[in-house]
Amino acid sequence: TALEALGVAVRNEMDSIELYQELADRCRDSDKLACRRFELLAADEAQHREFLIAKWKELAGNLELKPPPSQLPRDRVTREQRQRMNLEDVLKLAMEEERRARELYLRAARETEDLSGQAMFRFLADIEYKHWVHLAQELDLLARYPNYLRPGPQPWHPEPGLGSRGPGETPKRPQPKEG
């Protein structure tokens, strides 16, 4: 139902907020600008959550919103579990969450009969794609500069033993999966 889709969407935004706050915490001591970007992503997701809650109230009236459990993979549900992951894997997890959210919103836009709901879900799908692109850029920088987002004055230096990559040796950029 539309209400179930809204509940899943709210949970998805809650999971994303937590992931972005965690990424901001991880780079707080190394790259203030990257930290701020992750904080802004968390703020975007919080705004999306509010859009969805407002739509819920419009459709459900006084019926209480009870989002389902976390939609994150079971082995990555808790912050402690994600703390054991490296930064690259957490970025990939966040990218996968953005991809799933986009698919959810596109499906919801197709299935809802409410024109306002369709527009809202398409808007959210476009924003989630924008977030995916942003995360892909962060992942690309991390692949090219392994010290990026780590404490230290010169993040452009490769890790010892890796050597440097020339212009023709740029790693392949990630591409969105087609749903």
Side-chain angles (χ1 to χ4, degrees), residues 8-59:
V8 169
V10 168
R11 169 51 67 190
N12 186 71
E13 297 301 333
M14 293 166 65
D15 290 344
S16 294
I17 292 165
E18 186 176 341
L19 276 173
Y20 292 132
Q21 288 172 339
E22 180 180 322
L23 284 166
D25 289 345
R26 282 186 174 206
C27 64
R28 195 166 312 284
D29 295 330
S30 58
D31 188 329
K32 301 287 186 206
L33 186 56
C35 175
R36 183 69 183 129
R37 286 192 299 262
F38 291 129
E39 289 171 342
L40 289 172
L41 284 168
D44 266 4
E45 301 296 8
Q47 183 181 37
H48 302 167
R49 182 189 61 209
E50 296 310 311
F51 292 155
L52 293 163
I53 290 171
K55 192 64 173 174
W56 170 276
K57 289 178 181 176
E58 177 186 321
L59 295 175

Side-chain angles (χ1 to χ4, degrees), residues 82-169:
R82 288 189 305 274
Q83 287 296 328
R84 292 190 288 271
M85 296 169 65
N86 65 37
L87 186 57
E88 179 181 358
D89 288 340
V90 176
L91 281 169
K92 287 178 181 177
L93 174 64
M95 288 173 65
E96 178 61 18
E97 288 307 300
E98 294 296 344
R99 185 195 62 76
R100 284 185 339 107
R102 182 173 186 262
E103 287 177 4
L104 171 73
Y105 295 144
L106 289 173
R107 186 173 50 253
R110 286 189 304 270
E111 293 174 2
T112 188
E113 294 177 18
D114 174 50
L115 294 178
S116 172
Q118 289 174 5
M120 177 192 70
F121 283 126
R122 280 194 298 273
F123 168 77
L124 291 171
D126 288 345
I127 297 297
E128 301 303 347
Y129 178 73
K130 179 186 89 161
H131 291 171
W132 185 93
V133 169
H134 174 80
L135 292 167
Q137 291 169 335
E138 294 292 333
L139 189 60
D140 180 58
L141 279 171
L142 189 60
R144 287 201 250 165
Y145 306 101
N147 290 321
Y148 175 65
L149 302 179
R150 292 189 183 152
Q154 300 176 335
W156 54 87
H157 287 291
E159 286 186 13
L162 288 181
S164 61
R165 293 187 173 110
E169 301 174 67

Side-chain angles (χ1 to χ4, degrees), residues 3-4 6-8 10-11 14 56 63-69:
L3 292 179
E4 289 171 335
L6 282 168
V8 169
V10 168
R11 169 51 67 190
M14 293 166 65
W56 170 276
L63 188 63
E64 183 183 359
L65 171 62
K66 295 180 184 175

